[in-house]
Amino acid sequence: MFRIDFGFSGLCFFPMAKRTSLFFMGGGVGAHLYSLVASEMLGKENVHVLMRDRTDEVPVRTLCVWGEPASLIHDAVVAQWATLRFGFGDETIVRRMDRMRYSQYTAASIRALVDATIDVERQIGEVNNPDASSTVSFDSRHDDRDVRPASISLLQHFHGWRVLTDEPMFEPDVATMMDFRVDQSDGVCFVYVLPYGPTEALVECTVFSESTWQKDHYEARLTSYLRDVMGINDYRISTTETGSIAMCDRIPLRQRGRSWIAIGVAGGLTKPTTGYTVARCLRDAEKIMQHYQRTGEFKPPARAHARFDWYDRLLLRIIRDEPAEVPGILWTLFKRNPIERILRFLDEQTDLKEEILIFWRLPWLPFLRAIVRR
Ligand SMILES: Cc1cc2nc3c(=O)[nH]c(=O)nc-3n(C[C@H](O)[C@H](O)[C@H](O)COP(=O)(O)OP(=O)(O)OC[C@H]3O[C@@H](n4cnc5c(N)ncnc54)[C@H](O)[C@@H]3O)c2cc1C
């Protein structure tokens, strides 16, 4: 799905400067992904990468991506699953993917792959301006210039534990993507479980709501999930992960100036209803480089078809106004459709015919109410 076809890499219609210099304003996950794509498509000997970030620390960040195994970042895979589990009410379903895989990376594994592949010149310090002497500046800094301001602003927030048990308690081949069998009284809440072996897993409590929780609130939810749903009472916590991702319908201004483009989260690459960003960055970078190869100019690509934006806004309204409906909607989405169709839908890779099939099988009323309500 996000396999990048590098058939274009040798095709260049524009007599480009011998060396393309890329200045990254912020050296986070996005900067590393765009630099990998650039070096693959333009040729690593033709690219100079300069990254400036206020810190050299790499965050503890688990990054999951579904799709056909991506050749470009394959060497950064930390773990991978072919089977996904979902839970709701007193039911669970398990779906085996055919061509796709659910792959886990980390911010550190992606950075290590870049360091093993490209010579990156790194600087530490604040960035305030693009670099006029570089061919292009890619900007990961947040900025409040909008193409469309947010009408809904929610958060996907989470806290997770990497737990170790003495007894085998996890199924290493099955990742739990969404288990709604937890208290839903204070926001849409689900747990996901990424097992690394029979005695080790990342167990994360994820919430869609207006604001983050106190740590002990997530911890209580995790404790009861491990005890009541998984039957695990004895465990040790080796590491924790906390974070939040904006779920909002804001469209930020991406072209901040000539050859100056916002990327990653700052460029609005996060899917508002899922928080997934990595695969979208890879596809975006590929399109930017293709355009550069054709025209010699750096320009952000067109957004996905407007209907995907409309679907996201409807679901965001339902999350905001009728959170109790959301677990049932997401459960039905996965239960009544082939898993790979839904994953492609969430990645905005389906066609209208497939989307009609998907919506046909969903509870309609919350969507009709969301269409009427603003
Ligand atoms: C905890 C967490 C888990 C996530 N999990 C997933 C996932 O599973 N799958 C997925 O697809 N997405 C996930 N995301 C979303 C997204 O992929 C990540 O947020 C990713 O790190 C985005 O990359 P980025 O480059 O846009 O931002 P960042 O990685 O945050 O990088 C931005 C960088 O810019 C630097 N910076 C900012 N301003 C300045 C300045 N003025 N001067 C110098 N430096 C500056 C910062 O220091 C930072 O290093 C997750 C996000 C979080 C927070």
Side-chain angles (χ1 to χ4, degrees), residues 25-31 52-55 57 59-65 102 125-128 140-142 158 192 204 241-245 263-266 270 275-279 281:
M25 307 168 70
V29 173
R52 185 173 173 86
D53 199 299
R54 57 164 69 112
T55 171
E57 268 174 42
V60 177
R61 194 161 293 177
T62 304
L63 299 164
C64 289
V65 175
Y102 193 62
E126 278 295 307
V127 198
N128 299 311
S140 300
R141 297 168 316 146
H142 292 276
F158 35 84
Y192 81 85
E204 206 148 283
E241 181 180 70
T242 309
S244 70
I245 304 175
I263 59 168
V265 175
T270 302
Y276 286 87
T277 313
V278 170
C281 286

Side-chain angles (χ1 to χ4, degrees), residues 32-326:
H32 287 86
L33 295 172
Y34 284 73
S35 62
L36 267 179
V37 174
S39 89
E40 179 76 22
M41 290 182 72
L42 308 179
K44 106 175 169 183
E45 60 294 346
N46 301 322
V47 168
H48 175 256
V49 175
L50 169 62
M51 268 183 213
R52 185 173 173 86
D53 199 299
R54 57 164 69 112
T55 171
D56 199 34
E57 268 174 42
V58 183
V60 177
R61 194 161 293 177
T62 304
L63 299 164
C64 289
V65 175
W66 59 73
E68 291 177 27
S71 52
L72 187 64
I73 54 171
H74 178 76
D75 288 346
V77 167
V78 173
Q80 200 166 62
W81 300 270
T83 306
L84 298 175
R85 178 186 286 115
F86 302 84
F88 176 70
D90 51 9
E91 268 188 85
T92 57
I93 49 171
V94 173
R95 297 283 187 256
R96 182 158 178 93
M97 290 178 281
D98 176 21
R99 291 167 45 204
M100 290 187 186
R101 293 294 174 268
Y102 193 62
S103 305
Q104 189 203 309
Y105 308 84
T106 61
S109 77
I110 289 175
R111 175 162 168 163
L113 174 63
V114 170
D115 285 340
T117 316
I118 321 169
D119 288 327
V120 177
E121 185 185 338
R122 293 183 189 277
Q123 294 177 350
I124 299 178
E126 278 295 307
V127 198
N128 299 311
N129 295 301
D131 177 22
S133 66
S134 294
T135 323
V136 63
S137 298
F138 287 117
D139 200 344
S140 300
R141 297 168 316 146
H142 292 276
D143 176 309
D144 50 17
R145 281 172 290 174
D146 299 317
V147 171
R148 183 183 73 195
S151 71
I152 304 181
S153 276
L154 299 168
L155 287 177
Q156 173 182 148
H157 49 103
F158 35 84
H159 181 72
W161 289 339
R162 195 158 172 145
V163 300
L164 297 160
T165 57
D166 291 330
E167 300 296 320
M169 301 304 289
F170 304 103
E171 269 181 81
D173 300 336
V174 184
T176 299
M177 203 170 174
M178 286 184 166
D179 195 340
F180 289 102
R181 293 176 297 165
V182 283
D183 184 357
Q184 299 292 329
S185 61
D186 39 17
V188 180
C189 180
F190 61 87
V191 172
Y192 81 85
V193 182
L194 302 179
Y196 303 114
T199 57
E200 186 170 12
L202 175 69
V203 185
E204 206 148 283
C205 168
T206 304
V207 187
F208 299 165
S209 69
E210 272 168 19
S211 49
T212 55
W213 290 355
Q214 296 292 325
K215 192 165 142 217
D216 55 359
H217 202 144
Y218 302 102
E219 289 180 340
R221 206 55 58 88
L222 286 167
T223 308
S224 64
Y225 181 82
L226 283 164
R227 185 189 58 225
D228 304 335
V229 178
M230 299 204 73
I232 303 175
N233 290 303
D234 296 325
Y235 51 87
R236 296 177 302 287
I237 299 165
S238 62
T239 51
T240 63
E241 181 180 70
T242 309
S244 70
I245 304 175
M247 300 179 87
C248 80
D249 58 350
R250 168 178 185 245
I251 302 178
L253 180 75
R254 292 199 67 193
Q255 185 90 53
R256 293 183 174 175
R258 193 173 153 71
S259 298
W260 177 15
I261 299 175
I263 59 168
V265 175
L269 271 295
T270 302
K271 170 95 170 156
T273 46
T274 64
Y276 286 87
T277 313
V278 170
R280 291 155 69 93
C281 286
L282 289 170
R283 282 195 293 267
D284 186 66
E286 183 193 12
K287 287 184 192 150
I288 290 177
M289 297 308 154
Q290 280 172 353
H291 184 81
Y292 175 58
Q293 287 179 313
R294 275 202 311 275
T295 66
E297 294 205 337
F298 280 99
K299 198 174 155 227
R303 288 173 56 82
H305 194 282
R307 66 180 192 278
F308 291 107
D309 178 55
W310 189 64
Y311 304 150
D312 278 334
R313 297 180 98 186
L314 286 184
L315 188 55
L316 286 179
R317 276 182 221 159
I318 299 173
I319 296 171
R320 180 192 62 191
D321 301 327
E322 300 188 65
E325 300 286 348
V326 177

Side-chain angles (χ1 to χ4, degrees), residues 2 139 341:
F2 66 87
D139 200 344
R341 181 190 293 156

